[in-house]
Amino acid sequence: MSLYCGIACRRKSFWSYRLLSTYVTKSRYLFELKEDDDACKKAQQTGAFYLFHSLAPLLQKSEHQYQAPQHSLLELERLLAKFGQDTQRIEDSVLIGCSEQHEAWFALDLGLNSSSSINASLQKPEMETELKGSFMELRKALFQLNTKDASLLSTAQALLHWHDGHQFCSRSGQPTKKNMAGSKRVCPSNKIIYYPQMAPVVITLVSDGTRCLLARQSSFPKGMYSALAGFCDIGESLEEAVRREVAEEVELEVERLQYSASQHWPFPNSSLMIACHATVKSGQTEIQVNLRELEAAGWFSHDEVATALRRNNPYTQQQNGTFWLPPKLAIAHQLIKEWVEKPNWSTLPA
């Protein structure tokens, strides 16, 4: 018995004191905040808040970049009091991450009204003057943010947008209630739980071995070309979605494909971009553009694409009449860069 207890105690001591990675401890901490309203409210006391107005983040210009300022709970309470707002509005905030030191980060939209809010939206010009910044459309500012701010603000906008559109239960029609972290909404009348979701989208760079296929939609900025992309249909696998999208948009049949990476994309309604490389059979490369989907598409040589990557300044290229590619933060840029560095994707496994 004593031997068993000794072994058990040593095992308990080992598991109690084993070293965990920063990633694991952060993940467990964020999980706790999502599941425990009291813990989340406590984290707000020492946390930092990013502010939005009608889904536009507050930004400040710093040389050639934008920065997203943080505000403490005390600063936020003072701001709300100055504009005659109840501090209960802070409960409309959503958890978007934390630092390695477990400083929790939240986002709060001062221009949206929740179904339970007793406060009207705050006026944008007065807020900008007080906060010494501008509420800017995220899509326009995204590529002038550093990687950390771009990721946090994308997550924040997607969550705030989802909550704004899911304030009522689709079954009962009654107002839903968010938990403190904003990781779910619950209908009090029937206990249905709603979780924020992303729509899966395949984005595919097609190659014939020596060239890659780039296309543009009419909604793209002038002169920008990118990889083919489309939403996955219900019931489809990733591979089926890639093959269907390529067939629909340019009438080509994919022979081989390979997964590359994925990325959350907040526009227009929070998508999970799943990036793939695909090849078509040599000699079967004649494209027929589906004008319901695309404005233009074409094959581009390795030299053309490599040159576009090197000079990827959209403003200069619009003036010169040359095409340009998605900025570095976009996963389409990564796909194109991978192909330039390794153009012979015809050796992809089936």
Side-chain angles (χ1 to χ4, degrees):
M1 181 69 176
S2 60
L3 177 63
Y4 173 80
C5 289
I7 294 173
C9 288
R10 283 196 295 273
R11 284 179 177 172
K12 181 178 180 181
S13 175
F14 171 77
W15 288 112
S16 296
Y17 294 102
R18 69 190 177 99
L19 295 176
L20 296 176
S21 71
T22 301
Y23 175 80
V24 171
T25 57
K26 281 176 60 176
S27 297
R28 291 297 293 267
Y29 178 63
L30 288 171
F31 176 80
E32 179 187 1
L33 299 189
K34 292 175 183 177
E35 295 298 314
D36 188 331
D37 282 356
D38 291 334
C40 189
K41 194 160 189 175
K42 183 179 179 181
Q44 290 180 348
Q45 303 295 320
T46 55
F49 291 79
Y50 293 85
L51 300 182
F52 284 69
H53 192 285
S54 301
L55 300 179
L58 177 71
L59 301 175
Q60 294 173 339
K61 188 73 172 178
S62 176
E63 295 182 353
H64 301 298
Q65 271 197 326
Y66 288 109
Q67 292 183 341
Q70 294 180 337
H71 296 80
S72 68
L73 179 64
L74 181 60
E75 290 171 332
L76 185 52
E77 288 174 338
R78 287 173 177 169
L79 177 72
L80 292 172
K82 184 170 183 176
F83 286 88
Q85 298 284 306
D86 195 307
T87 56
Q88 184 181 353
R89 191 184 192 107
I90 296 171
E91 295 185 5
D92 290 336
S93 64
V94 295
L95 176 70
I96 57 174
C98 73
S99 69
E100 293 185 358
Q101 293 73 37
H102 292 187
E103 176 193 60
W105 297 324
F106 299 88
L108 176 64
D109 198 305
L110 301 172
L112 296 177
N113 291 323
S114 71
S115 60
S116 59
S117 177
I118 60 174
N119 298 295
S121 64
L122 295 171
Q123 294 301 308
K124 182 177 174 181
E126 288 84 347
M127 296 296 297
E128 290 178 328
T129 301
E130 177 67 23
L131 295 167
K132 297 180 175 60
S134 300
F135 291 105
M136 297 190 59
E137 185 181 340
L138 183 58
R139 186 189 286 269
K140 294 179 179 178
L142 186 63
F143 299 113
Q144 296 182 63
L145 293 166
N146 61 44
T147 303
K148 174 195 166 187
D149 283 350
S151 177
L152 282 174
L153 295 183
S154 294
T155 299
Q157 193 209 57
L159 263 176
L160 292 168
H161 191 195
W162 182 84
H163 280 283
D164 186 49
H166 291 78
Q167 295 184 40
F168 296 89
C169 176
S170 61
R171 182 70 61 84
S172 70
Q174 297 299 309
T176 55
K177 181 177 176 58
K178 68 177 278 295
N179 66 337
M180 188 62 67
S183 59
K184 60 185 176 183
R185 297 188 75 93
V186 180
C187 176
S189 66
N190 56 29
K191 308 305 179 185
I192 292 178
I193 301 175
Y194 296 90
Y195 295 98
Q197 296 179 335
M198 295 187 291
V201 173
V202 290
I203 179 165
T204 308
L205 189 67
V206 177
S207 170
D208 66 355
T210 59
R211 302 173 299 172
C212 76
L213 191 149
L214 299 175
R216 59 172 282 105
Q217 298 176 358
S218 58
S219 60
F220 283 10
K222 183 179 179 182
M224 191 186 86
Y225 278 73
S226 185
L228 301 177
F231 289 97
C232 296
D233 283 347
I234 288 179
E236 281 186 325
S237 67
L238 170 63
E239 295 81 1
E240 289 168 339
V242 168
R243 290 188 165 94
R244 175 185 54 76
E245 280 294 332
V246 174
E248 282 181 358
E249 296 191 350
V250 290
E251 286 193 9
L252 292 177
E253 186 170 351
V254 168
E255 181 181 29
R256 301 170 187 270
L257 66 91
Q258 179 173 305
Y259 169 79
S260 172
S262 63
Q263 178 187 47
H264 169 250
W265 192 245
F267 316 113
N269 294 305
S270 199
S271 300
L272 176 63
M273 308 295 292
I274 306 166
C276 298
H277 290 279
T279 59
V280 294
K281 292 181 179 179
S282 178
Q284 298 181 14
T285 58
E286 183 179 350
I287 62 175
Q288 296 292 331
V289 178
N290 183 344
L291 296 177
R292 291 185 178 183
E293 296 282 337
L294 302 173
E295 183 179 82
W299 291 104
F300 292 80
S301 70
H302 181 272
D303 287 344
E304 288 176 311
V305 178
T307 300
L309 280 175
R310 287 194 298 268
R311 68 183 180 201
N312 204 21
N313 183 331
Y315 305 105
T316 301
Q317 294 185 53
Q318 282 181 31
Q319 293 174 356
N320 296 338
T322 52
F323 77 96
W324 58 283
L325 302 171
K328 291 181 180 179
L329 281 177
I331 200 166
H333 184 101
Q334 178 180 323
L335 269 178
I336 295 167
K337 186 172 182 287
E338 286 175 348
W339 180 81
V340 166
E341 293 172 349
K342 186 183 177 183
N344 188 13
W345 287 94
S346 60
T347 58
L348 288 175

